[in-house]
Amino acid sequence: MVWPSIALLTFVTLQRLAELLHARRNTAALLARGAREIAPEHYPYMVAMHAAWLVGLWLLAADRPVSPFWFVVFMVLQGLRVWVLATLKGRWTTRIIVLPGAALVTNGPYRFLSHPNYAVVVGEIAVLPLAFGLPLYAAVFSLLNAAVLAIRIRAENAALRRAIA
């Protein structure tokens, strides 16, 4: 049966597209309020990596069975994703956008982690391929994601330190 695989990949694809629209709206609103984008040069690489991850899953996993265990782990990650989005509200974007004078978010999952959204993404990049029985794919994209996040988190932390200083 391939419909569970197609359904899961369709869900993730639609989710990512909806998030891009949500992020674009939030980014425009933040910039209109005087926010600045930081380190935009890495953004195309991040988008390309995520797009390649998703396209590759469509090519390799659409006809593979879905592991119930990894599916449940993935759905738990989706709950955490919603928690992050609900906590950040209009400040959630896919870019590094800093609104001068705005206090850091310290509630919700930010009470426990500095970058909970990135923790969720790290999990998703590995877990979704594992749900399809693709451990090498999970490892390769986890390494690519780690490289992007190393650049991104360093830039974001520096920008946030400057913004609150």
Side-chain angles (χ1 to χ4, degrees):
M1 249 195 304
V2 300
W3 73 264
S5 300
I6 299 293
L8 182 53
L9 290 170
T10 299
F11 168 78
V12 173
T13 301
L14 293 175
Q15 176 192 56
R16 292 304 195 265
L17 292 172
E19 286 178 355
L20 286 174
L21 292 173
H22 180 62
R24 183 175 292 160
R25 234 184 347 261
N26 287 348
T27 296
L30 287 165
L31 292 174
R33 292 174 50 202
R36 295 178 290 115
E37 181 174 6
I38 306 299
E41 59 278 354
H42 81 283
Y43 188 73
Y45 299 106
M46 185 182 78
V47 170
M49 189 274 301
H50 280 269
W53 173 78
L54 192 54
V55 168
L57 285 173
W58 273 103
L59 294 173
L60 297 173
D63 61 349
R64 298 178 70 98
V66 177
S67 160
F69 172 79
W70 290 112
F71 175 76
V72 169
V73 173
F74 185 76
M75 294 316 291
V76 168
L77 289 169
Q78 299 319 290
L80 295 172
R81 173 183 286 285
V82 169
W83 191 22
V84 168
L85 288 166
T87 300
L88 289 178
K89 298 179 180 106
R91 290 175 65 177
W92 184 87
T93 72
T94 54
R95 297 178 178 271
I96 302 173
I97 306 292
V98 176
L99 184 61
L104 287 180
V105 174
T106 57
N107 59 328
Y110 291 85
R111 288 179 300 199
F112 310 108
L113 290 172
S114 298
H115 300 286
N117 192 61
Y118 300 150
V120 169
V121 172
V122 165
E124 289 173 330
I125 293 288
V127 168
L128 192 57
L130 292 173
F132 295 112
L134 299 168
L136 181 59
Y137 194 89
V140 167
F141 275 92
S142 290
L143 290 172
L144 292 171
N145 187 49
V148 170
L149 284 180
I151 294 164
R152 185 174 177 89
I153 289 173
R154 190 172 341 160
E156 187 169 328
N157 285 343
L160 291 173
R161 278 193 301 274
R162 283 191 303 272
I164 61 172

